[in-house]
Amino acid sequence: DTAVSQTPKYLVTQMGNDKSIKCEQNLGHDTMYWYKQDSKKFLKIMFSYNNKELIINETVPNRFSPKSPDKAHLNLHINSLELGDSAVYFCASSQGYSLKDYEQYFGPGTRLTVT
Amino acid sequence: DAKTTQPPSMDCAEGRAANLPCNHSTISGNEYVYWYRQIHSQGPQYIIHGLKNNETNEMASLIITEDRKSSTLILPHATLRDTAVYYCIVRAQTGANNLFFGTGTRLTVIP
């Protein structure tokens, strides 16, 4: 069984559109994350959620709105897509958000291409 | 979080030990060293972490120098499936569990 799953795996869309990426984890973890990996392969944290509550927003434009309907899901909605949003987006989860919960489990990624 | 420096790339012969270095000269006393890897087109995968003692698990060993300013990840018998980008991350045991990835080392295991 897949521990952290994301849909879709690939997403191609035009500038100005609104799109969502979904993430689900079946590990029973309390904390979930979104990361962005750009074309230069830099992987950066975007958001952290713990028990459906936002913990960290790493200066991400407000066009990005994460939503956590329950502990097992963390979706990412992006409004008014821009070319610079093209990247691979990774969802991850961990047991908790303190650093004793050091191991994060990553999903397979969603490759977003904005044309 | 302390900054880390890793060589951009390394090669290793299949079946040999792969030794991946990481410098973290500004590490402070409460900061741990974590290693993750990212195989092509996949999400990062946790490997190992440590504070000051050497650590070993089923995947790798982590050797941390006595002054803690550098560490080495050792894959004892590298296989082709170990070809990946390896990230050394240093962070404190306080605050939210966010990982800050650098540029990592691209390890290529050669048949």
Side-chain angles (χ1 to χ4, degrees):
Chain A
D1 286 340
T2 303
V4 181
S5 60
Q6 297 179 227
T7 54
K9 187 169 177 60
Y10 300 98
L11 183 55
V12 181
T13 187
Q14 291 184 332
M15 287 176 56
N17 286 347
D18 303 337
K19 291 293 180 184
S20 292
I21 306 172
K22 296 185 177 181
C23 178
E24 176 180 3
Q25 53 94 3
N26 63 5
L27 298 167
H29 287 168
D30 288 340
T31 307
M32 297 184 72
Y33 313 81
W34 277 109
Y35 288 82
K36 177 181 179 181
Q37 187 166 40
D38 61 24
S39 58
K40 295 183 178 180
K41 303 297 185 183
F42 291 117
L43 190 61
K44 296 182 180 179
I45 183 74
M46 299 175 68
F47 301 102
S48 299
Y49 266 73
N50 185 65
N51 278 323
K52 304 189 297 177
E53 298 292 329
L54 178 66
I55 305 171
I56 294 291
N57 176 343
E58 288 288 338
T59 60
V60 177
N62 57 15
R63 297 184 296 105
F64 291 78
S65 53
K67 286 187 170 53
S68 183
D70 54 58
K71 283 195 324 182
H73 296 85
L74 180 62
N75 303 324
L76 184 65
H77 188 76
I78 314 171
N79 290 326
S80 302
L81 278 155
E82 301 177 357
L83 293 176
D85 298 332
S86 295
V88 180
Y89 292 84
F90 289 99
C91 177
S93 73
S94 64
Q95 186 65 50
Y97 73 91
S98 66
L99 284 186
K100 65 180 177 67
D101 303 310
Y102 48 83
E103 184 172 359
Q104 292 188 18
Y105 295 80
F106 284 77
T110 296
R111 181 174 295 278
L112 171 65
T113 303
V114 182
T115 61
Chain B
D1 296 323
K3 181 178 178 179
T4 61
T5 303
Q6 300 176 252
S9 64
M10 293 181 63
D11 292 340
C12 177
E14 187 178 16
R16 305 298 292 267
N19 297 284
L20 293 94
C22 179
N23 283 325
H24 30 80
S25 58
T26 59
I27 194 170
S28 58
N30 65 343
E31 290 183 318
Y32 282 64
V33 181
Y34 297 82
W35 284 83
Y36 278 72
R37 73 180 182 183
Q38 186 174 22
I39 296 171
H40 181 62
S41 298
Q42 297 183 22
Q45 176 190 23
Y46 166 81
I47 301 173
I48 200 168
H49 80 290
L51 180 62
K52 52 184 178 181
N53 297 323
N54 297 337
E55 303 287 346
T56 296
N57 63 20
E58 65 279 3
M59 289 183 68
S61 295
L62 175 60
I63 309 298
I64 302 174
T65 58
E66 192 169 343
D67 63 8
R68 303 206 326 119
K69 293 184 176 182
S70 65
S71 60
T72 300
L73 177 74
I74 301 173
L75 308 178
H77 305 286
T79 71
L80 298 180
R81 289 174 294 181
D82 292 323
T83 293
V85 178
Y86 288 77
Y87 296 97
C88 170
I89 301 165
V90 174
R91 59 171 300 108
Q93 274 261 320
T94 57
N97 189 9
N98 298 333
L99 296 175
F100 293 91
F101 291 80
T103 54
T105 295
R106 179 173 297 279
L107 174 69
T108 303
V109 180
I110 303 169

